[in-house]
Amino acid sequence: MPETRGLVLVVEDEPHIADLQRRYLTREGFGVHTESDGAAGLAAARRLHPAAIVLDIGLPGLDGISFCRALREADDWTPVLLVTARDEEADRILGLELGADDYLTKPFSPRELVARVKTVLRRAAGPPGEPVLTLGRLVLDPQRRTVLRDGGPVELTGTEFNLLARLMRHPGRIFTREQLMSQVWGYAGYRDGRVVDVCVSQLRAKLGDASPIRTVRGVGYGATDRPA
């Protein structure tokens, strides 16, 4: 049996969309398992331990938001790519707050879906050979993808880790929201900074008074060894 890039779990209740996602992901070398409702999808995630999950928000039974919450409450940090309808902005933001790594809004190109899956997996792997970063009371290891606060571990989503790493690599530099959307999420030219604000808020809550993140009003965010 040929080796694949990894297993992607697709949880989608519209059969034609699920089949399209499966075909394009398979074509790119991924193994694909599909489920059509949230409860079955969550059971599959726990059983199969996929490399990534493509998760529709509007699922029957257990919806995508509840699915994501259950996953993260069980300390399962598998990268999650949310698929949302245009009128589900509040759910999309809530999904990101609960630990989803990225999202796509219907309708979308299957090629973009594949690109997004590759991106969240690449972010999770991290660049080879990067040294450990220390800033204030935090120690971030890009290879092990771990963060320590005062010597104790901090559980972060993949996107939260990537955002913190981006800021810690350049202490004192201020990034605009648009720059962070491009460098962390991969959305070139995307100007809606609320996604960044949500992620920063979640990071600050998890890091507490050890957070190095500094807000420059009207500009963006940076990191300092003097926590705000």
Side-chain angles (χ1 to χ4, degrees):
M1 185 175 180
E3 185 178 354
T4 72
R5 292 173 178 263
L7 178 68
V8 177
L9 171 62
V10 172
V11 190
E12 170 61 62
D13 64 323
E14 297 186 53
H16 67 286
I17 295 178
D19 184 62
L20 192 63
Q21 293 176 358
R22 180 190 58 76
R23 287 192 286 113
Y24 271 80
L25 288 165
T26 300
R27 189 178 302 171
E28 290 296 317
F30 291 99
V32 180
H33 179 87
T34 63
E35 295 289 352
S36 60
D37 69 82
L42 185 60
R46 290 169 172 166
R47 182 177 74 254
L48 299 174
H49 303 286
I53 301 172
V54 178
L55 176 64
D56 186 42
I57 282 185
L59 294 168
L62 185 74
D63 63 29
I65 295 298
S66 300
F67 182 118
C68 194
R69 179 184 288 113
L71 205 67
R72 298 319 191 209
E73 286 178 349
D75 284 334
D76 185 334
W77 301 97
T78 303
V80 172
L81 177 65
L82 287 178
V83 176
T84 76
R86 291 193 183 278
D87 60 352
E88 293 174 327
E89 181 182 23
D91 284 342
R92 183 165 64 245
I93 296 298
L94 179 56
L96 292 170
E97 289 177 339
L98 290 171
D101 296 273
D102 203 350
Y103 68 88
L104 277 174
T105 302
K106 294 179 181 178
F108 55 84
S109 161
R111 291 184 178 87
E112 184 178 5
L113 169 75
V114 172
R116 292 291 172 193
V117 170
K118 289 180 179 178
T119 297
V120 297
L121 289 173
R122 187 166 58 249
R123 290 177 192 149
E130 188 175 4
V132 171
L133 305 172
T134 301
L135 190 62
R137 294 154 57 193
L138 299 181
V139 177
L140 183 147
D141 187 333
Q143 299 306 302
R144 294 188 173 90
R145 292 189 67 81
T146 58
V147 174
L148 300 179
R149 178 188 58 210
D150 299 328
V154 181
E155 295 290 345
L156 301 180
T157 68
T159 301
E160 289 167 353
F161 182 93
N162 293 333
L163 176 57
L164 181 61
R166 169 60 59 178
L167 297 176
M168 286 181 63
R169 288 185 187 109
H170 305 279
R173 177 178 171 183
I174 304 302
F175 294 88
T176 67
R177 290 170 176 82
E178 187 174 3
Q179 287 172 332
L180 291 172
M181 285 298 296
S182 174
Q183 296 167 12
V184 177
W185 281 264
Y187 289 103
Y190 192 85
R191 298 180 181 276
D192 186 349
R194 286 173 293 180
V195 173
V196 179
D197 296 338
V198 167
C199 196
V200 167
S201 177
Q202 293 298 109
L203 266 174
R204 283 175 166 157
K206 291 181 177 182
L207 299 175
D209 61 4
S211 172
I213 302 174
R214 173 190 177 200
T215 302
V216 177
R217 188 176 297 276
V219 182
Y221 298 103
T224 174
D225 58 2
R226 297 183 300 277

